[in-house]
Amino acid sequence: MGNIVSKVVETEILVVGGGGAGITAAIGAARSGAKVLLVSKGQVGNSGNTIMIGGSFAMDGHSAYYDYDIKEADKEFTKADLYESIIKDGFYINDQNMVRQFVEESPAIVYEVVKWAEQTGKPFDFGPPSTWWMSGRMMGNALKQGLVSTPGIERISDIAVIELLSDGGRVCGALALELNTGDFVQINAKAVVLGTGGFQPFSLKNTNSDMTGDGVAMAFRAGAKVSDMEFLLFLMTALEPQDIVGSILPLMLVTMPTFKYVATDREGKELTMPQELKDMETKSEICKLLHMVYYGKTITTDNKTDKGGVFLKITGTDEEINQAFDETVELFRKFYKEGFYHHNDINKVRRMCLDKRRWEVGLGNEYSVGGILVNEKMETTVKGLFAGGECASGVFGANRVADAVTEMVVQGYRAGLTAAEYAKTAHAGNCGTECGSIIAERLLEVLNNKGGILVNEAVRRFEAISDKYLNCYRDGEGLRAAIEQYEQLEKELENATILCKDMAYNAELMGLIALKNRLLCSKLAAYMGEARKESRGLHLRLDYPNIDNKNYFVRSIAHKDGDNIELSTRKPIAGEIAPPDYETIEYERYLLETGIGLENLQD
Amino acid sequence: MKVKVLRTSPEKHFDEFTVPFPIDGEYTIMDVLRYISDNIDPTLAYFSHAVCNHGICGRCAVKCNGRVVVACITHADCDELMLEPKNKKVVKDLLCQ
C-alpha cells in the first residue's frame, strides 16, 4: 500500500480536544513556552459538550468575594465547604488530592475564563453563591478568546485522532484522520494531552455527538489505567414534543419551585421520593441523582412509557404553570432568543403542558464520572500522556454535583502546565511514519470486508444492549449479558462492512471508529459495574441495593494486559475528610442523613 | 415525504428517497437526513460527525427547497424536500467546507 501517512507534523505538545479541557490545556502549555498543536474532531471552540452548556460554572464564594472582589458572592461558602460537598456528593470514594486540586486551583482559571468572556462583549451573568451563568456558545467564544490571545498555539479542526503512538512505553504522538479529505496525518510530539470528553452508550441523546469516549479508549489501548467507568450520570431529558427530543429543558422546569408535578409510570402509578429529598430538587443539582434513584427503576421495567421514560403529571394551577415557564423564559432571556432555550421553543412546551397536564420525559446520560486514571498533576499512568476534564477521573468519586465546566478548565489548564514541564526534559520519540502506517493500514482493511454487519446496524445493536443492561439500574445477570453481547458485537465488527469506499468524509468509517471507542468504554463500564456488588452514587444495583464500605470503599481500575482486561481496585486517596465509620448503609438512608447536595441552584 | 438529495459521486445527480415522516413539522431536516443514512443509504455525506442537534454549532446548514437553513432546527413540513449543499465549496454530497 506504500506510505499511507500523507503528512507528518512535528510539535512539542499535542493537545487533543477542541472543548474547554483541550483549549485550557493548550493555553497552559503555550504559556509555559511549549510549541503546541491543538486538534479537534469538531471545530475548536464550537464542538463537543462545551457548547451544550446551558449552563453555569463556579468557584467557592469566599475566593470570589475576597480574592476577586465580587461583592455579590456568598463569602460564607468557603473552599472547605466545597471540598466537603464534593466528597459527600461523591459517596466518599473521591481521590482527595484531586478534590484539593479542584478547589485550590479553580478560582484563578474560572476568573480568567470570566474575563475572556468580558473581552468577547458577551459577559457571563453572575449569581449567588458564586456562580456564573452562560450559554455553551458564550463559553466556546470565551475559550476561543483565550486561545487567540495566547501565542504559540497552532490548531486544526475536523481532524480525528484515532490512535496514540508509543515508543518504549512512552506516548510520543498520534495518528489522525483528516475527516474531509480522508488523509492520514502523523503527529509527533514529546507529550500528548487528552481533553476529549466522556462517553455515552445509550440511544437517547442529550449531548453532542462527539461524546464517543475516544480519548479514554485510546489511552486504555496505549496501556493507561482507567477507572470508575460504571458511574454514569443521567438527567431528565425531553421525549416530547418530537422536535425537542434530547433537550434538557424538563430539568430546567422541575428546578422551578412553581412547577409542581408528580412522576408516574405508564399506568399513572405515582413514583414518590421522600419529601426532604424532593425539597432539594430546586436547590441542588443532586436532583439528577434523585431522579435516577426514584424514577430510573421504572425505566428499566415494562412500566416505562412508550418512548422509554416516565410521565410528569403536572399538578399545579394554570397560574403556577405559567409562572414556572415565565421564570424559565426570564432565566434564559439573556442568553438565547426570547422564549427559547438553545433553539427549543419554551412556549410551545408551555402550551403542551397547559393542555395535556403531562410531559413524557426520559433520563438521558450526560456525563461520565469515570475515565483515565490521573493524579492531581493530570499525569496518567503512561509516560508522556496527560488528561484533564471529563475524559479523566477521580475528583468526583461515585457521583458529580459540582460543576463539570469548572472541572474541564481547572484540570485542562493543569494538564497543559504539567505536560509542558515534562516536555522540557523529555526527548522526542522515535516514531517513523511506519508506526502510523501500520495502524492506518489495519484500519483500512475494513474497506475490503463484504457481507458483514453495517455500521448503523451495529450502532443500533450496541445502543440496545446499553439501554437494556447498563441503564440507571443494573443487576449482575444483566451486566454479564452486556459483557457477552458487547464482546460478540466487537467480534462482528472485525468483519463490519462499509459501503462507501471513498475516503473523503467517509461517515461510515468515522462511525465505526467512534463505535469501537464507545463499545470499549461501555464494556469497561459493564465489567466494573459487575464487579462492584453494591449500590453507590450513580451505580445502582437492583441485586445489591446497599452501600457496602466493608468491601467496596474502593475505586474501580482497569488496564490492558495483552488482549485482556485486568480489573483491580484501590482505596481512594485520603485527605482531610475522614471516611465513613459504618460498614454498610441503606442507600436511601445515606441520601437522607449524610448532608449531600451542594446547593448550586440558588436563584 | 419525498426527499431529493444532490449527490456528488460518481458525478452530480439527484437521488430520491421516501421517508415515512408526517409533514406536521415535528421532525427536522436533520431527522430526515439521519433516517436516510440509518435506514436507506449510509453512504450519504452531510455534516454528521460533531452534531449538536440543538442549533448551537450551526454547522449542519444545507439548502432546503432553495433556502439555506440549519438542518437540526428546521422543520421538515412539506411533501417534497429538495436538499442541496449550502455553498459551492462542496466536500461531498451535502457537506461543504
Side-chain angles (χ1 to χ4, degrees):
Chain A
M1 195 172 264
N3 197 345
I4 203 165
V5 171
S6 56
K7 206 192 297 179
V8 179
V9 179
E10 306 284 341
T11 188
E12 281 184 298
I13 311 281
L14 168 64
V15 178
V16 188
I23 291 176
T24 50
I27 292 170
R31 282 181 179 171
S32 307
K35 182 182 173 193
V36 179
L37 174 63
L38 171 62
V39 299
S40 173
K41 188 159 74 170
Q43 215 168 30
V44 172
N46 188 30
S47 61
N49 275 350
T50 299
I51 60 165
M52 308 303 283
I53 296 169
S56 63
F57 75 160
M59 65 173 82
D60 68 282
H62 187 273
S63 299
Y65 186 90
Y66 288 107
D67 296 343
Y68 298 103
D69 203 29
I70 298 163
K71 294 304 173 205
E72 303 91 329
D74 176 4
K75 61 186 177 203
E76 306 301 325
F77 174 46
T78 64
K79 282 180 176 169
D81 296 332
L82 180 59
Y83 185 98
E84 187 177 351
S85 279
I86 290 173
I87 288 162
K88 285 182 174 174
D89 290 341
F91 290 62
Y92 286 91
I93 59 163
N94 325 56
D95 273 351
Q96 293 197 31
N97 57 335
M98 299 289 295
V99 182
R100 174 58 55 208
Q101 188 269 339
F102 181 98
V103 168
E104 291 297 336
E105 297 183 12
S106 56
I109 186 69
V110 164
Y111 191 70
E112 186 151 27
V113 177
V114 166
K115 288 284 145 193
W116 291 334
E118 285 174 11
Q119 289 162 26
T120 68
K122 290 252 181 187
F124 300 158
D125 199 26
F126 185 81
S130 55
T131 301
W132 284 266
W133 290 81
M134 81 295 290
S135 69
R137 197 169 234 178
M138 287 163 71
M139 176 56 82
N141 288 336
L143 291 163
K144 278 194 282 186
Q145 179 64 34
L147 203 54
V148 297
S149 53
T150 309
I153 304 170
E154 265 187 79
R155 50 179 146 153
I156 311 176
S157 292
D158 297 316
I159 184 167
V161 169
I162 55 178
E163 211 65 276
L164 298 169
L165 302 175
S166 300
D167 176 28
R170 182 166 71 91
V171 167
C172 58
L175 179 72
L177 177 67
E178 272 184 359
L179 300 179
N180 285 357
T181 60
D183 291 338
F184 287 102
V185 181
Q186 182 167 323
I187 304 161
N188 294 328
K190 289 181 178 173
V192 176
V193 183
L194 298 171
T196 45
F199 70 102
Q200 203 283 67
F202 306 100
S203 59
L204 177 61
K205 314 287 179 209
N206 60 17
T207 53
N208 194 294
S209 56
D210 278 345
M211 198 167 164
T212 51
D214 296 351
V216 182
M218 287 189 292
F220 181 80
R221 288 194 294 265
K225 288 183 175 173
V226 303
S227 63
D228 303 338
M229 301 287 277
E230 67 272 41
F231 301 115
L232 296 171
L233 179 58
F234 294 69
L235 63 77
M236 202 179 269
T237 300
L239 296 177
E240 63 172 341
Q242 175 62 39
D243 59 343
I244 71 155
V245 170
S247 168
I248 62 166
L249 189 58
L251 184 82
M252 303 298 168
L253 262 298
V254 300
T255 60
M256 295 290 167
T258 50
F259 189 84
K260 294 180 178 156
Y261 78 94
V262 183
T264 79
D265 68 7
R266 62 179 297 128
E267 306 292 347
K269 186 181 163 237
E270 295 187 356
L271 312 171
T272 56
M273 71 172 83
Q275 193 56 45
E276 303 95 297
L277 297 176
K278 180 83 177 150
D279 290 343
M280 295 167 77
E281 201 172 33
T282 59
K283 296 180 194 146
S284 167
E285 286 186 53
I286 194 79
C287 61
K288 298 174 188 174
L289 175 75
L290 299 177
H291 297 154
M292 283 176 67
V293 173
Y294 292 98
Y295 310 152
K297 208 177 277 184
T298 298
I299 287 171
T300 59
T301 69
D302 291 340
N303 292 334
K304 61 180 177 280
T305 62
D306 286 346
K307 290 177 180 156
V310 297
F311 291 122
L312 303 183
K313 185 170 87 180
I314 300 162
T315 54
T317 62
D318 280 11
E319 197 182 4
E320 285 168 329
I321 296 170
N322 277 316
Q323 193 183 335
F325 277 94
D326 286 343
E327 284 169 10
T328 306
V329 168
E330 182 58 27
L331 178 64
F332 294 118
R333 196 171 52 83
K334 289 175 190 160
F335 312 127
Y336 308 104
K337 188 166 75 170
E338 175 134 10
F340 284 78
Y341 172 64
H342 294 304
H343 274 273
N344 308 146
D345 184 344
I346 298 171
N347 290 319
K348 181 178 173 181
V349 179
R350 178 203 306 251
R351 289 191 292 277
M352 182 190 79
C353 289
L354 283 166
D355 181 41
K356 288 171 43 174
R357 298 282 168 159
R358 201 176 81 174
W359 194 357
E360 190 173 358
V361 300
L363 295 176
N365 172 216
E366 67 140 355
Y367 177 87
S368 29
V369 174
I372 304 160
L373 186 71
V374 292
N375 63 15
E376 74 281 4
K377 294 199 287 191
M378 307 305 142
E379 293 165 321
T380 72
T381 54
V382 170
K383 240 180 158 186
L385 184 64
F386 306 82
E390 194 178 341
C391 73
S393 66
V395 62
F396 292 127
N399 172 49
R400 174 180 70 78
V401 175
D403 295 297
V405 182
T406 304
E407 178 201 25
M408 77 181 181
V409 295
V410 72
Q411 292 191 353
Y413 192 68
R414 173 52 58 192
L417 295 178
T418 307
E421 194 57 36
Y422 166 85
K424 279 179 188 162
T425 53
H427 56 86
N430 190 24
C431 280
T433 51
E434 67 280 3
C435 301
S437 292
I438 292 167
I439 296 164
E441 280 173 25
R442 203 176 302 141
L443 178 70
L444 291 186
E445 281 169 11
V446 71
L447 296 177
N448 301 323
N449 291 345
K450 281 181 188 148
I453 191 167
L454 294 176
V455 177
N456 288 332
E457 191 189 328
V459 169
R460 278 195 290 270
R461 270 236 331 256
F462 160 69
E463 291 177 346
I465 300 166
S466 307
D467 288 349
K468 189 166 179 189
Y469 299 121
L470 199 61
N471 223 304
C472 294
Y473 276 84
R474 300 103 181 235
D475 62 26
E477 200 182 328
L479 289 163
R480 286 187 289 277
I483 292 166
E484 194 185 323
Q485 292 178 30
Y486 283 146
E487 289 181 346
Q488 172 62 31
L489 184 57
E490 248 176 358
K491 276 192 200 130
E492 287 180 51
L493 285 181
E494 286 169 21
N495 194 37
T497 298
I498 286 180
L499 301 176
C500 179
K501 307 299 181 192
D502 166 12
M503 283 297 287
Y505 206 78
N506 189 322
E508 291 172 275
L509 185 63
M510 284 149 45
L512 179 63
I513 295 167
L515 175 60
K516 283 183 175 175
N517 290 336
R518 284 174 81 196
L519 187 48
L520 174 55
C521 289
S522 305
K523 190 171 76 167
L524 291 168
Y527 267 109
M528 290 180 183
E530 201 277 332
R532 184 178 286 282
K533 293 176 174 54
E534 64 157 357
S535 290
R536 182 185 298 269
L538 300 163
H539 179 59
L540 302 168
R541 289 276 301 241
L542 291 162
D543 46 355
Y544 295 99
N546 296 334
I547 297 168
D548 177 359
N549 286 327
K550 186 175 174 207
N551 297 300
Y552 295 101
F553 186 71
V554 290
R555 296 190 60 192
S556 310
I557 293 171
H559 74 276
K560 186 171 164 277
D561 181 15
D563 286 337
N564 297 323
I565 292 169
E566 276 297 315
L567 289 180
S568 60
T569 59
R570 73 151 164 79
K571 296 275 180 223
I573 290 171
E576 288 144 56
I577 303 291
D581 54 7
Y582 43 81
E583 287 197 343
T584 61
I585 185 170
E586 284 170 25
Y587 192 99
E588 186 172 83
R589 219 180 115 203
Y590 181 91
L591 295 181
L592 288 166
E593 295 179 4
T594 310
I596 57 162
L598 172 67
E599 294 198 3
N600 51 359
L601 286 180
Q602 296 175 32
D603 58 15
Chain B
M1 66 181 59
K2 294 241 179 295
V3 185
K4 279 186 183 172
V5 183
L6 188 67
R7 308 298 296 271
T8 55
S9 180
E11 69 239 356
K12 263 192 187 178
H13 67 283
F14 277 97
D15 275 343
E16 190 171 307
F17 304 97
T18 302
V19 174
F21 286 167
I23 55 161
D24 58 7
E26 283 294 289
Y27 288 86
T28 64
I29 309 274
M30 180 60 90
D31 292 330
V32 169
L33 291 168
R34 201 174 289 131
Y35 183 88
I36 295 169
S37 90
D38 278 356
N39 299 286
I40 310 174
D41 184 354
T43 70
L44 176 66
Y46 60 99
F47 184 78
S48 61
H49 71 278
V51 171
C52 73
N53 214 28
H54 292 277
I56 304 165
C57 70
R59 299 195 71 202
C60 61
V62 293
K63 198 185 276 182
C64 176
N65 295 345
R67 202 163 55 92
V68 175
V69 296
V70 175
C72 71
I73 54 166
T74 304
H75 294 171
D77 53 3
C78 52
D79 289 332
E80 283 196 18
L81 300 178
M82 191 193 293
L83 302 178
E84 298 168 88
K86 66 180 176 186
N87 62 34
K88 289 186 176 160
K89 295 179 190 162
V90 180
V91 174
K92 192 175 181 181
D93 297 339
L94 299 176
L95 184 81
C96 298
Q97 285 174 19

